[in-house]
Amino acid sequence: MALRSFIEVAEDSNFPLENLPFGVFKPRDGSARVGVALGEYVVDLAALEAAGHFKDLGDQKLFGRDSLNDFLALGRPVWKKVREILQTLLAAGNPALRDDLKLREQVFHRQSDVAMQLPVKIGNYTDFYSSYHHAHNVGTMLRGAENALMPNWKWLPVAYHGRASSVVVSGSGVRRPKGQIKPPDAPSPVFGPTKSLDYELEMAFLIGPGNSLGQPVPVDQAVDHIFGFVLMNDWSARDIQAWEYQPLGPFLAKNFCTSISPWVVTMEALEPFRKPLPKQDPEPLPYLRAKNDFTFAIQLEAALQTPKLKTPQTITRTNFQNLYWSVSQQLAHHAVGGCNLQPGDLLASGTISGPSEDSRGCMLELTWRGANPLKLESGEERKWLEDGDILSITGWCEGDGYRVGFGEVSGKVVPALA
Ligand code: CA
């Protein structure tokens, strides 16, 4: 049964009253501030704060800011209180804001009239590798099916430290990177634009309160440190990756650009879509064993728009439940040696591939390293992304009469610098 607001929300909207994802936006005439999405609108929390609607939180000013970091640092009791205030204030039967037409003019902005920014200042970004099917497919290509998974894969959530400064918000162009590429039959590498630009369909979560240096986070307390989730595209240059990745892992193949969606869907909004984490075999070491560990049922799609396609063509259909390791395990593992996580840190899932061919979350797997090009409805073929292509990832949870959605993360490939 869907909640009702006095703001009309279409049944298939990503942003009903049950969702209220947080973001940072800039209105046409004004500075960046915090808002939540509701239907076609952004609700301006700085304007509500100025009007005294958050006075229960004390006199701290939280929302007239260009990032969510300070709000994230406050933790779940404050997040829940703000959500409760908003759900009450925006409900159909409450006249407090509904009938205050002057305040409504300041509070509601059409999403089409504002510019979304990165929701947080990201201090650190980590990318996991937690989909069994992705790891198995990539391992099969590199080492054969017998040795597809490295011996550590089912014992720990494998990850690398990524680059935070090149994380951009959805809608930003993605410049084709140049780098060293070693053609298989050439004696030495060449320098030039990547010929195998790829996307990776991922989700990522944002850290709320951090932990002190030297103090691990017990796996059963990990969720207290998670604010919410975004969609992510980990753009990848496969030819650069193939030459550089040994022995220390990805570097320039990944650090030129990573795109995230602007709206952060909170753990509270995702709560109805929790599912038990499937049994893990072998049983993980004790520090990774959470009581009642969980995943979420989140449907995910990637669509490709080429210059010739009339409408975007869906090329991946997958689900967050395809991840082997839980977010609690990822977080607990990240901090177990004493690494301090900080508000606004971004921890990503890795490519989310499922068991079927159409659930593969990147071109590398979909085309099996270019051996089976994608055939598009326009008659075009794609082994990898080409200049002018737009890749968009969407995600949503299907509720009873409503949908908790993430919106999208989208990026257009622009040619390499001359
Ligand atoms: Ca990745």
Side-chain angles (χ1 to χ4, degrees), residues 179-208:
Q180 280 199 26
I181 297 159
K182 165 92 169 46
D185 42 7
S188 53
V190 296
F191 180 80
T194 175
K195 292 190 174 69
S196 45
L197 183 63
D198 202 353
Y199 71 99
E200 289 192 333
L201 183 159
E202 304 197 18
M203 295 199 70
F205 59 92
L206 289 169
I207 297 295

Side-chain angles (χ1 to χ4, degrees), residues 196-230:
S196 45
L197 183 63
D198 202 353
Y199 71 99
E200 289 192 333
L201 183 159
E202 304 197 18
M203 295 199 70
F205 59 92
L206 289 169
I207 297 295
N211 57 303
S212 304
L213 183 64
Q215 288 294 318
V217 177
V219 67
D220 283 317
Q221 291 168 27
V223 289
D224 298 343
H225 297 266
I226 301 177
F227 175 66
F229 287 77
V230 292

Side-chain angles (χ1 to χ4, degrees), residues 228-242:
F229 287 77
V230 292
L231 303 168
M232 196 179 103
N233 185 345
D234 176 23
W235 304 94
S236 301
R238 300 301 184 191
D239 41 9
I240 296 173
Q241 186 177 1

Side-chain angles (χ1 to χ4, degrees), residues 125 127-128 160 200 202 234 236 254 350-351:
Y125 151 49
D127 197 14
F128 285 88
Y160 68 96
E200 289 192 333
E202 304 197 18
D234 176 23
S236 301
K254 302 277 191 175
T351 307

Side-chain angles (χ1 to χ4, degrees), residues 33-206:
R33 66 206 55 194
V34 174
V36 296
L38 179 66
E40 304 282 310
Y41 293 89
V42 181
V43 182
D44 187 329
L45 300 198
L48 286 177
E49 189 172 55
H53 283 287
F54 297 116
K55 58 182 184 304
D56 289 1
L57 301 171
D59 50 14
Q60 53 193 336
K61 292 279 174 274
L62 288 172
F63 300 123
R65 304 185 183 205
D66 64 356
S67 85
L68 286 166
N69 293 55
D70 291 334
F71 177 58
L72 265 52
L74 295 175
R76 181 142 289 116
V78 175
W79 307 336
K80 279 189 154 171
K81 185 75 194 165
V82 169
R83 178 176 169 84
E84 194 184 295
I85 291 169
L86 289 171
Q87 284 192 329
T88 305
L89 195 57
L90 295 164
N94 187 346
L97 176 59
R98 186 191 68 197
D99 298 349
D100 187 342
L101 298 184
K102 198 153 163 264
L103 183 56
R104 276 182 64 160
E105 257 180 50
Q106 298 168 35
V107 166
F108 293 101
H109 306 259
R110 287 199 166 273
Q111 282 170 26
S112 50
D113 288 342
V114 307
M116 297 307 296
Q117 305 193 352
L118 277 180
V120 286
K121 291 196 173 26
I122 301 167
N124 285 280
Y125 151 49
T126 300
D127 197 14
F128 285 88
Y129 191 57
S130 288
S131 149
Y132 171 85
H133 293 285
H134 175 65
H136 196 274
N137 284 337
V138 173
T140 301
M141 277 180 248
L142 295 178
R143 293 179 294 274
E146 299 303 301
N147 304 303
L149 287 189
M150 297 300 262
N152 59 6
W153 198 89
K154 284 193 164 184
W155 288 101
L156 57 84
V158 168
Y160 68 96
H161 282 119
R163 182 75 194 171
S165 65
S166 52
V167 179
V168 299
V169 73
S170 176
S172 309
V174 182
R175 175 82 58 193
R176 180 178 296 277
K178 289 181 176 177
Q180 280 199 26
I181 297 159
K182 165 92 169 46
D185 42 7
S188 53
V190 296
F191 180 80
T194 175
K195 292 190 174 69
S196 45
L197 183 63
D198 202 353
Y199 71 99
E200 289 192 333
L201 183 159
E202 304 197 18
M203 295 199 70
F205 59 92
L206 289 169

